Amino acid sequence: MPAVARFRSVVVDCPDPRALARFYAQVGGGTPEDDDPDWVVLRIPDGPRLAFQRSPGYTPPEWPRSDRNAQQLHLDFDGGSTWEEIDAAEERVLALGARVLDREDYEKKDFRVYADPAGHPFCLCRIEHTA
């Protein structure tokens, strides 16, 4: 079945689009296009186009709640194929301003959950890379 439309962007509400775009540029690569302080686009190399829009009165999700102010989506990043790579990626995102949301059962999961500086959940995933 032919598509109705082509995917364009994931748009993230936040209080400071430029700051959040710079955070994700350091996590996933790319350079923010920030001619407009209320709308900033980031094209991640070999990845999605992320847009960040100013949202007055923005309130971050209360992870992992689902009854009120729940996360509506989150971003997953390939953090590497080994736990050493994930540990190194974690160190870097924490230095950029992320914070850990979930430390339970790290050894049982193939991902780790963080909040970006605006409070949105995102994950660093351990992905087995096959040749």
Side-chain angles (χ1 to χ4, degrees), residues 49-78:
R49 173 186 141 124
L50 297 178
F52 303 89
Q53 71 179 2
R54 185 175 310 281
S55 178
Y58 168 79
T59 303
E62 297 177 44
W63 190 90
R65 294 186 72 121
S66 60
D67 58 341
R68 71 181 168 108
N69 203 29
Q71 72 168 339
Q72 295 180 7
L73 65 92
H74 70 271
L75 302 174
D76 283 347
F77 290 88
D78 178 347

Side-chain angles (χ1 to χ4, degrees), residues 27-106:
V27 173
T31 302
E33 301 167 6
D34 63 355
D35 297 336
D36 180 345
D38 294 326
W39 178 267
V40 178
V41 173
L42 174 64
R43 297 175 199 280
I44 294 181
D46 299 321
R49 173 186 141 124
L50 297 178
F52 303 89
Q53 71 179 2
R54 185 175 310 281
S55 178
Y58 168 79
T59 303
E62 297 177 44
W63 190 90
R65 294 186 72 121
S66 60
D67 58 341
R68 71 181 168 108
N69 203 29
Q71 72 168 339
Q72 295 180 7
L73 65 92
H74 70 271
L75 302 174
D76 283 347
F77 290 88
D78 178 347
S81 61
T82 67
W83 287 116
E84 292 78 18
E85 290 173 308
I86 297 295
D87 289 342
E90 175 177 89
E91 198 173 301
R92 292 179 64 198
V93 298
L94 294 176
L96 293 171
R99 63 184 167 83
V100 175
L101 287 180
D102 183 4
R103 286 206 185 271
E104 286 188 37
D105 301 325
Y106 265 16

